[in-house]
């Protein structure tokens, strides 16, 4: 099972407390209209981090087998399997939130929003994009960051702590073998962090805490 140990999804599925607290069912959203977004980037980023993590957990319970089955991961995150949620006037899948909004709809990514897509009103602008959001999103895998609640007023500090904890846990340096093992997140989205592998190592060192073995080994 690729979920974190201790999460009993079948038990959650049959829990009355879970049923009573669940949001509207997936795919029950009204017709989409063009939204307006007055929120500054930090508030929008914190909001959509939270709006990714909570529905991902909910969908893992209500849309089996969830992301634990490799064959089901694509349809799960794209919303094809039913993991799609109403957020105000928006109808969003997890891919929409992560790649369309939080990652600023990067060019060349098929998960990015089209130029005329009304959801682009909520996209984080490229100049405001913070790659550290990858350390705050929990996709359900064992190596994913833990789920936390993020807020605009301390977002930078919270992402700093999330990046530090993640890199010190998931970046492995073997000095004897002269090798560095990176998390899949850093490999998949390396260009979000740095333009080259060498600079990615440097960036990872900067994320690690002062005095940590990881930072010392990477510098």
């Amino acid at each position: 099972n690729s979920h974190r140990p201790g999460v009993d999804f079948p038990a959650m599925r049959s829990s009355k407390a879970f049923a009573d607290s669940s949001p509207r069912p997936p795919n029950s959203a009204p017709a989409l209209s063009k939204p307006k977004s007055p929120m500054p980037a930090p508030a929008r980023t914190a909001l959509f981090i939270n709006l990714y993590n909570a529905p991902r957990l909910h969908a893992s319970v209500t849309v089996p087998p969830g992301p634990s089955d490799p064959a089901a991961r694509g349809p799960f995150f794209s919303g094809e399997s039913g993991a799609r949620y109403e957020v105000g006037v928006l109808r969003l899948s997890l891919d929409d939130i992560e790649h369309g909004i939080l990652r600023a709809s990067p060019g060349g990514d098929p998960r990015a929003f089209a130029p005329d897509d009304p959801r682009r009103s909520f996209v984080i602008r490229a100049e405001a994009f913070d790659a550290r959001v990858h350390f705050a999103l929990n996709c359900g895998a064992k190596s994913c960051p833990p789920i936390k609640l993020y807020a605009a007023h301390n977002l930078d500090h919270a992402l700093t702590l999330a990046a530090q904890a993640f890199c010190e846990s998931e970046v492995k340096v073997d000095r004897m073998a002269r090798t560095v093992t990176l998390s899949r997140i850093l490999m998949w989205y390396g260009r979000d962090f740095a333009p080259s592998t060498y600079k990615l190592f440097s960036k990872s060192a900067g994320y690690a805490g002062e005095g940590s073995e990881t930072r010392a080994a990477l510098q």
Side-chain angles (χ1 to χ4, degrees):
N1 192 317
S2 65
H3 294 293
R4 286 181 173 273
V7 180
D8 189 339
F9 287 97
M12 289 181 67
R13 192 174 301 124
S14 61
S15 165
K16 183 179 183 301
F18 177 82
D20 291 343
S21 63
S22 291
R24 294 178 67 172
N27 291 326
S28 65
L32 185 66
S33 59
K34 186 174 182 178
K36 295 181 180 179
S37 177
M39 289 186 294
R44 203 180 321 168
T45 298
L47 172 66
F48 280 100
I49 289 174
N50 296 331
L51 288 178
Y52 177 94
N53 287 333
R56 199 284 303 161
L57 179 60
H58 176 264
S60 294
V61 178
T62 59
V63 187
S68 62
D69 183 343
R73 286 183 68 82
F76 178 85
F77 288 104
S78 72
E80 293 177 21
S81 65
R84 191 179 292 270
Y85 289 83
E86 176 188 344
V87 181
V89 297
L90 303 177
R91 182 184 292 121
L92 299 172
S93 69
L94 296 170
D95 274 349
D96 292 336
I97 296 173
E98 179 178 6
H99 307 290
I101 295 175
L102 289 171
R103 291 186 63 226
S105 277
D109 191 318
R111 298 163 297 192
F113 296 151
D116 60 348
D117 192 316
R119 295 172 297 179
R120 271 198 170 270
S121 295
F122 277 93
V123 171
I124 303 297
R125 292 185 180 275
E127 60 269 22
F129 168 60
D130 189 331
R132 295 177 299 172
V133 298
H134 288 297
F135 305 132
L137 301 177
N138 183 295
C139 72
K142 289 181 179 179
S143 61
C144 277
I147 294 177
K148 296 182 179 180
L149 187 64
Y150 289 84
H153 71 276
N154 67 345
L155 180 65
D156 182 68
H157 179 64
L159 291 179
T160 295
L161 294 179
Q164 177 180 330
F166 187 86
C167 287
E168 291 184 5
S169 171
E170 300 299 327
V171 177
K172 308 297 183 185
V173 180
D174 187 331
R175 293 194 179 192
M176 293 295 293
R178 298 179 62 84
T179 61
V180 177
T181 303
L182 299 178
S183 160
R184 288 183 179 179
I185 289 176
L186 293 172
M187 299 300 293
W188 289 335
Y189 305 115
R191 289 305 177 97
D192 284 1
F193 295 94
S196 68
T197 301
Y198 175 79
K199 290 186 177 181
L200 179 58
F201 291 158
S202 177
K203 197 80 170 180
S204 299
Y207 289 146
E210 289 283 352
S212 72
E213 292 184 9
T214 301
R215 172 176 282 196
L218 289 172
Q219 288 179 330

